[in-house]
Amino acid sequence: MTWVRVPEGSGFGLENLPYGVFSRPGELRRIGVRIGDHVLDMAGLALDGTLPEASWAARSSLNRYFGEGPEHWAHIRQRIVEFLTDDDYRPLVEPRLVPVADISLHLPVDVADYVDFYASEQHATNLGNILRPNTPPLLPNWKHLPVGYHGRAGTIVASGVDVARPNGQRKIGDFGPSERLDFEAELGFLVGAPSDGPVAVGDFAKHVFGVVLVNDWSARDIQAFEYQPLGPFLGKSFATSISPWVVPLDALGAARIEGPAQDPEPQPYLRTAQPSGLDIQIEIELNGHVVSRPPYSGMYWSPAQMLAHMTVNGAPARSGDLYASGTVSGPEKDQRGSLIELSWNGDEPLELPDGTTRAFLEDGDTVTIRAFAPGANNTTISLGEVTTTITPARP
Amino acid sequence: MTWVRVPEGSGFGLENLPYGVFSRPGELRRIGVRIGDHVLDMAGLALDGTLPEASWAARSSLNRYFGEGPEHWAHIRQRIVEFLTDDDYRPLVEPRLVPVADISLHLPVDVADYVDFYASEQHATNLGNILRPNTPPLLPNWKHLPVGYHGRAGTIVASGVDVARPNGQRKIGDFGPSERLDFEAELGFLVGAPSDGPVAVGDFAKHVFGVVLVNDWSARDIQAFEYQPLGPFLGKSFATSISPWVVPLDALGAARIEGPAQDPEPQPYLRTAQPSGLDIQIEIELNGHVVSRPPYSGMYWSPAQMLAHMTVNGAPARSGDLYASGTVSGPEKDQRGSLIELSWNGDEPLELPDGTTRAFLEDGDTVTIRAFAPGANNTTISLGEVTTTITPARP
């Protein structure tokens, strides 16, 4: 039990303790850990001498902390639990609790490389059926490796930052604002401890620090015209939004499950004996109305497999690398993770409670992605949210 | 005339003055400018007070200098010319000249985002003919926009760093070292001054600082199996090598030429009244033997168009962004910029002077890319070289 008052159902109890980068008005950015409706000012604790080993906390990104590696992460987590449960620490620690209402949250990490996968069989199947009807929806490689590509790290933005509708070539001779702007609800994995080369599938937790929510904005018309043969480029690179709280893998132990069976059996470098799926429930809200609840539990390729694949060619992973799962879609219609799936490429527009319909996003629309997972001690932990409003295209 | 002795034909005369990051044994990395067989120690000049405004020079990358912008770049260039031509400066400057034989050269920049284009019509046509015979070699979008994709910034390495043959899935059920390892000779453009959004095609020189040579290593078998539908990933991401000397655009004025005519006329955001081609002659050496001389002058899409395209969707450009042209191939067989073209996918292996042949690269092979351009005052300027030896795959 923590001595901090944690509101019922907050999702930010002692079992969670996610990391973020925050600031108070007029002050520099620093690292904090969320508990209930407060953030524990880690830089303050370091300064006070309460936690002198948190020399990484007076920084504007988590990269330095990430680089310290899993033993240090576990040590710090244990210390924070002591601080928040032992009444003897209360006089030292309570002055370093800041109400979340008083802070601004920022991008938690300087993203090094950004990779986006395509790991949901249901999503890949839906897209195949929509974009390439009358052919097998999954391409021949899909069940043999987690398909992915590199995105633009420099356009990853924090929750709360507006995203302008992108301009681009929509088809031959047709330039203008995208008319098919879409969201994609994904889970993102942040590399903490770097690797010089291949990361074995069983070493996932030695390298990945934790997870964020990702909204991989997509301009379907721009993407459709440009993507052959080298993949998505400007249809994705205008913005990718992530949630501010990085939930440590250490908080997701109770969420680990067997993933779906994989057939054919993957290559040895992708095989693992451990459960490597995650029982995370995502929720997508459009203008305040929940339009989908994609379950992460059904994802075909696990995050450990994605990391093993990404590095099997010898590519190093750096502190701050972000890789995302690709759109999370479940088998039911109200479990689809993108609007192109929910509206079936516009053929079945979504009806919203205000009487309007959406084939794709309109200016002024606000998209919020949230997620929850089982935590230790029969709790529920929150992954926070990533929320974004669409603004009109530049003239 | 400079008072520094510049060897005949060095390509590093007063008209060039490229920037690099160097170190002497046991010393920290710092920024230098090459003249003849020497490097001018910019950090030393700043420390001495000879060039106090070079506060960016005691760093291990050019990023900070790049961020200063074109007026500062021009000012520093002018000061360096004064230092190297005015005998009055010689007593102050000569002690800061270090023989290139005494230094190590390093990656000149912390690469932010890396984009690779596909801007040679001849290369795209050759690849189309090889990989998709009996269909039109250029896809429908190719003449409407510079096709490109994001690569892995974290695996960009300096000239001289060995590259290990990557492992990967070569086809279904077939994992192992790539059997079709290839080079791609390209020109790379480094963004200096950042932009918050679209860069007009005429503003190229306000943002791009200069050029490097790029070898975009490619594992053709891994790439062929993985690339549908999201583009190249592990077939490219194991390594990309760049040359150590960044030649400023200010040195390439005499190399500016009209590019090829563009038909159809591109969209307005890609149109420019200025000559935007570059008369740069590339040379590719395999194990000491020149195998190709691709001319950059024939590239369909100009670097100014690539930057305008890359940012037209609103994506910011950061100091240290690198974008490469894609393989440079001319119309003649001995002007092709990759081995897959030179050997026509292995059907016509290259014959080397030692009696061996190459369809693709073998372990131990050394590939060197050099380039030259016309400089001011009827000189020739060198872009230096990027040279790399292939080592065996990890076990």
Side-chain angles (χ1 to χ4, degrees):
Chain A
M1 269 300 280
T2 173
W3 47 261
V4 182
R5 204 185 72 77
V6 175
E8 179 79 18
S10 105
F12 292 108
L14 211 52
E15 296 76 14
N16 192 347
L17 301 177
Y19 285 73
V21 171
F22 75 98
S23 63
R24 279 176 287 202
E27 292 188 5
L28 289 177
R29 298 179 186 198
R30 49 178 58 196
I31 289 170
V33 169
R34 181 153 176 181
I35 176 77
D37 288 341
H38 288 81
V39 54
L40 185 56
D41 175 354
M42 301 299 286
L45 290 180
L47 192 69
D48 297 342
T50 309
L51 190 64
E53 59 269 51
S55 56
W56 36 260
R59 288 180 183 269
S60 60
S61 86
L62 285 160
N63 296 54
R64 181 66 70 95
Y65 174 55
F66 283 177
E68 297 284 338
E71 289 179 26
H72 185 74
W73 308 335
H75 163 75
I76 296 291
R77 186 170 176 87
Q78 189 187 343
R79 294 289 289 148
I80 294 172
V81 170
E82 287 166 16
F83 292 160
L84 298 177
T85 52
D86 186 338
D87 280 330
D88 291 347
Y89 280 113
R90 187 165 176 171
L92 288 172
V93 171
E94 197 159 22
R96 292 304 189 179
L97 284 177
V98 185
V100 288
D102 296 350
I103 64 167
S104 298
L105 286 163
H106 307 284
L107 199 63
V109 63
D110 288 334
V111 179
D113 271 301
Y114 168 47
V115 167
D116 196 24
F117 284 96
Y118 193 52
S120 160
E121 181 173 1
Q122 197 61 57
H123 171 69
T125 301
N126 287 341
L127 268 280
N129 283 329
I130 288 170
L131 302 176
R132 298 179 302 271
N134 308 316
T135 63
L138 294 183
L139 293 172
N141 56 16
W142 200 91
K143 292 229 164 169
H144 297 275
L145 50 79
V147 169
Y149 70 101
H150 284 90
R152 190 164 185 84
T155 51
I156 292 174
V157 297
S159 176
V161 174
D162 290 345
V163 167
R165 181 180 300 274
N167 292 305
Q169 295 195 40
R170 301 174 296 204
K171 51 183 192 278
I172 287 179
D174 178 31
F175 178 90
S178 171
E179 293 171 342
R180 297 163 65 83
L181 183 58
D182 202 353
F183 56 77
E184 293 194 332
E186 311 191 1
L187 208 57
F189 301 87
L190 282 161
V191 174
S195 96
D196 276 344
V199 177
V201 72
D203 287 345
F204 168 64
K206 293 181 186 164
H207 292 278
V208 168
F209 175 78
V211 305
V212 288
L213 293 166
V214 176
N215 189 336
D216 176 38
W217 302 101
S218 300
R220 303 292 179 192
D221 38 8
I222 295 170
Q223 184 183 349
F225 183 59
E226 76 183 354
Y227 89 107
Q228 292 280 19
L230 300 182
F233 185 31
L234 297 184
K236 300 274 194 176
S237 68
F238 54 99
T240 305
S241 302
I242 69 172
S243 58
W245 294 112
V246 184
V247 174
L249 285 190
D250 280 344
L252 292 170
R256 291 183 73 168
I257 53 171
E258 296 286 342
Q262 296 187 318
D263 181 22
E265 186 179 35
Q267 287 288 315
Y269 78 93
L270 293 171
R271 286 179 210 158
T272 172
Q274 307 154 328
S276 62
L278 287 168
D279 180 19
I280 293 176
Q281 185 57 53
I282 298 173
E283 184 178 286
I284 306 169
E285 211 176 75
L286 175 54
N287 298 338
H289 171 65
V290 174
V291 295
S292 182
R293 290 192 168 87
Y296 196 83
S297 56
M299 295 294 276
Y300 191 86
W301 294 105
S302 76
Q305 290 175 315
M306 295 179 212
L307 181 60
H309 183 64
M310 192 165 77
T311 56
V312 73
N313 67 350
R318 294 183 287 174
S319 296
D321 279 352
L322 170 67
Y323 65 96
S325 61
T327 308
V328 184
S329 289
E332 305 302 323
K333 179 163 180 175
D334 62 359
Q335 295 179 326
R336 297 174 186 165
S338 66
L339 210 36
I340 192 173
E341 291 168 272
L342 286 162
S343 76
W344 210 252
N345 205 24
D347 289 349
E348 303 167 18
L350 267 194
E351 294 182 13
L352 298 182
D354 66 1
T356 62
T357 61
R358 290 291 182 287
F360 291 95
L361 293 171
E362 298 189 358
D363 293 346
D365 279 351
T366 296
V367 179
T368 302
I369 303 170
R370 296 191 185 86
F372 304 90
N377 309 318
N378 289 314
T379 57
T380 294
I381 66 175
S382 168
L383 278 72
E385 65 176 41
V386 51
T387 188
T388 314
T389 297
I390 300 299
T391 57
R394 291 168 189 252
Chain B
M1 268 300 281
T2 172
W3 47 260
V4 182
R5 205 185 71 79
V6 176
E8 179 79 20
S10 106
F12 292 108
L14 209 52
E15 296 77 13
N16 191 348
L17 302 177
Y19 284 73
V21 170
F22 74 98
S23 64
R24 279 175 287 203
E27 292 187 7
L28 290 176
R29 297 178 186 198
R30 49 177 58 195
I31 289 170
V33 170
R34 182 153 175 181
I35 176 78
D37 287 342
H38 288 80
V39 54
L40 186 56
D41 174 354
M42 300 299 286
L45 291 180
L47 191 71
D48 297 342
T50 309
L51 190 65
E53 59 268 53
S55 56
W56 36 259
R59 291 181 179 269
S60 61
S61 85
L62 285 161
N63 295 54
R64 180 66 71 95
Y65 173 55
F66 282 177
E68 297 284 337
E71 288 179 26
H72 185 73
W73 307 335
H75 162 75
I76 296 292
R77 187 171 176 87
Q78 188 187 346
R79 294 290 287 147
I80 294 172
V81 171
E82 287 166 16
F83 292 160
L84 299 177
T85 52
D86 186 338
D87 279 329
D88 291 348
Y89 279 112
R90 187 165 176 171
L92 289 172
V93 172
E94 196 159 23
R96 292 305 188 178
L97 284 177
V98 185
V100 290
D102 296 350
I103 64 167
S104 297
L105 285 163
H106 307 284
L107 199 63
V109 64
D110 288 334
V111 179
D113 272 301
Y114 168 46
V115 167
D116 196 24
F117 284 94
Y118 193 53
S120 159
E121 182 174 1
Q122 196 61 57
H123 172 68
T125 301
N126 287 342
L127 269 278
N129 283 329
I130 289 170
L131 302 176
R132 298 179 301 272
N134 308 317
T135 62
L138 293 183
L139 292 172
N141 56 16
W142 201 91
K143 291 229 164 170
H144 297 274
L145 50 79
V147 169
Y149 69 102
H150 284 90
R152 191 164 184 84
T155 50
I156 293 175
V157 296
S159 177
V161 174
D162 290 346
V163 166
R165 180 180 299 273
N167 292 306
Q169 294 195 41
R170 300 172 296 204
K171 51 183 193 279
I172 288 179
D174 178 30
F175 178 90
S178 170
E179 293 171 341
R180 297 162 66 81
L181 183 59
D182 202 355
F183 57 77
E184 292 193 333
E186 310 191 2
L187 208 56
F189 301 88
L190 282 162
V191 174
S195 96
D196 276 345
V199 177
V201 70
D203 286 345
F204 169 64
K206 293 181 186 164
H207 292 277
V208 168
F209 175 79
V211 305
V212 289
L213 293 165
V214 175
N215 189 336
D216 177 37
W217 301 102
S218 300
R220 303 292 180 193
D221 38 8
I222 295 170
Q223 183 183 349
F225 183 58
E226 76 182 353
Y227 90 107
Q228 291 280 19
L230 300 183
F233 185 32
L234 297 184
K236 299 274 193 176
S237 68
F238 55 99
T240 305
S241 302
I242 68 173
S243 58
W245 294 112
V246 184
V247 174
L249 285 190
D250 280 344
L252 292 170
R256 292 183 72 166
I257 52 171
E258 294 287 342
Q262 296 187 318
D263 180 23
E265 186 179 35
Q267 287 288 319
Y269 78 92
L270 294 171
R271 286 180 209 157
T272 172
Q274 307 155 327
S276 62
L278 286 169
D279 180 18
I280 293 176
Q281 184 58 51
I282 298 173
E283 184 177 286
I284 306 169
E285 211 176 77
L286 175 53
N287 298 339
H289 171 64
V290 174
V291 295
S292 181
R293 291 193 166 87
Y296 197 83
S297 55
M299 295 295 276
Y300 191 86
W301 293 105
S302 76
Q305 290 175 315
M306 296 179 212
L307 181 60
H309 184 63
M310 191 165 79
T311 57
V312 73
N313 68 350
R318 294 183 287 175
S319 296
D321 279 352
L322 170 67
Y323 65 95
S325 61
T327 308
V328 183
S329 289
E332 304 302 324
K333 178 162 180 176
D334 62 359
Q335 295 179 326
R336 298 173 185 165
S338 67
L339 210 36
I340 193 174
E341 292 167 274
L342 286 162
S343 75
W344 210 251
N345 205 23
D347 288 349
E348 304 166 18
L350 266 194
E351 295 183 14
L352 297 182
D354 66 2
T356 63
T357 61
R358 289 293 181 284
F360 292 95
L361 293 170
E362 298 190 358
D363 293 346
D365 280 350
T366 296
V367 179
T368 302
I369 302 170
R370 295 191 186 87
F372 304 91
N377 309 318
N378 289 313
T379 58
T380 294
I381 66 175
S382 169
L383 278 73
E385 65 177 41
V386 51
T387 187
T388 315
T389 298
I390 301 299
T391 56
R394 291 169 189 251

